[in-house]
Amino acid sequence: MHIDPQAFERDGHTQVRGIASRDEIGRYRGVIRSVVDEHRGQAQGRIDDYSKLFTQVTNIWRMSDAAREIVFFRRFAEVAAQLLGVPSVRLYHDQALFKPAGADRTPWHQDRYYWPLDTDRTLTMWLPLVDVEMQMGSMIFASGSHRASGLGDLIISPETDRRLTSIIKERAWPIWSEPVRAGDATFHAGATLYSAGANRSDRVREVLTVIYFATGTRIAAPANPNQQVDLEVFLPGAKPGEEAKSELNPILY
């Protein structure tokens, strides 16, 4: 397993090969598929509806002891801390994202737009549970976009997707997209612009994502309705200016 914090800092994303063994991923897949099958179709506590793109289940760690063990796996959190250059990270939330065959491309967007966190020390681990070839809809990153400003409203929408597509071309950010094997993972910063291809295979693209942020981060005043909802759902009881922590945000490393 090779970790390159400098590349992550430069590009806003990186791929970490061999973060889990094939045997580990095989076990994880059974656990996560069981949780998704049991809880699919339930409300996810978000304003935006991604049901046309994914079967989405959030905070699977609360749904079974086995799922909790996966999401809390120290190796994953340690890699997150090393990439962020911080001594400790907390959990923001996890998501099982299962993209069915035939589902459309995920629009260009930025995760940080949705998070009421007063820091740039945030990232998402994207851990495939199956080998993700290009036709299945691998991740697409605009390298260096995490340092950009003046991007305008970043809510996921067709209009935003068109505008960001134009901005990415104008600013000549290199585009990264490669197959990602089960057992490998991508990590991207909260400010990185990214998309994912349509699933043109005949199989479900099964992925677990886990979002981490630096321990000690403060809560920002919500800048949009989505951040207000996230504050209530993922940081229950916490208020702007306070440290970002609740019963849902344990220290994982």
Side-chain angles (χ1 to χ4, degrees):
M1 184 174 65
H2 175 66
I3 304 168
D4 191 345
Q6 291 183 330
F8 178 81
E9 192 70 22
R10 179 190 68 234
D11 298 331
H13 63 87
T14 191
Q15 182 174 186
V16 177
R17 301 185 188 278
I19 196 169
S21 71
R22 302 287 281 192
D23 286 345
E24 286 172 327
I25 290 294
R27 294 195 298 273
Y28 297 168
R29 186 185 182 200
V31 170
I32 296 169
R33 287 182 70 178
S34 177
V35 171
V36 169
D37 287 343
E38 182 177 353
H39 295 277
R40 69 173 64 239
Q42 295 183 4
Q44 297 300 306
R46 281 283 177 68
I47 293 175
D48 293 338
D49 180 9
Y50 306 123
S51 60
K52 293 181 180 179
L53 292 175
F54 305 107
T55 298
Q56 175 184 357
V57 180
T58 301
N59 273 349
I60 67 167
W61 71 270
R62 304 182 71 196
M63 298 173 184
S64 80
D65 290 341
R68 177 190 179 103
E69 183 177 340
I70 296 166
V71 174
F72 284 23
F73 194 25
R74 183 178 174 85
R75 186 190 307 155
F76 299 155
E78 181 178 6
V79 171
Q82 290 180 11
L83 290 173
L84 290 174
V86 299
S88 175
V89 291
R90 287 186 182 272
L91 173 69
Y92 187 52
H93 67 80
D94 68 62
Q95 287 180 304
L97 295 175
F98 281 27
K99 192 169 194 173
D104 290 339
R105 180 179 68 87
T106 305
W108 284 107
H109 64 287
Q110 179 198 73
D111 289 340
R112 192 173 69 179
Y113 171 85
Y114 292 86
W115 302 341
L117 298 172
D118 190 15
T119 183
D120 63 356
R121 300 288 90 184
T122 60
L123 60 69
T124 298
M125 177 183 71
W126 192 82
L127 180 75
L129 306 174
V130 296
D131 292 339
V132 176
E133 303 299 335
M134 296 304 292
Q135 70 270 21
M136 192 178 278
S138 194
M139 293 288 270
I140 307 170
F141 298 113
S143 300
S145 60
H146 61 304
R147 295 188 297 271
S149 59
L151 296 177
D153 190 3
L154 291 169
I155 190 168
I156 295 178
S157 71
E159 190 281 328
T160 299
D161 184 59
R162 288 190 293 269
R163 181 165 47 79
L164 290 178
T165 297
S166 178
I167 290 173
I168 289 165
K169 183 177 181 180
E170 290 171 0
R171 302 192 186 187
W173 286 315
I175 299 300
W176 182 99
S177 188
E178 295 180 5
V180 183
R181 289 174 54 83
D184 301 342
T186 65
F187 289 78
H188 65 272
T192 301
L193 297 180
Y194 74 100
S195 174
N199 186 354
R200 304 192 185 284
S201 75
D202 59 359
R203 296 176 295 141
V204 177
R205 193 200 70 185
E206 303 173 29
V207 173
L208 171 68
T209 69
V210 183
I211 302 166
Y212 304 89
F213 65 90
T215 301
T217 293
R218 296 286 169 178
I219 298 173
N224 57 63
N226 289 277
Q227 288 189 8
Q228 180 62 47
V229 171
D230 257 34
L231 176 59
E232 295 168 4
V233 172
F234 298 118
L235 292 157
K239 296 178 176 59
E242 297 178 349
E243 184 177 353
K245 62 179 182 179
S246 75
E247 63 180 2
L248 303 185
N249 315 108
I251 293 174
L252 298 187
Y253 178 79

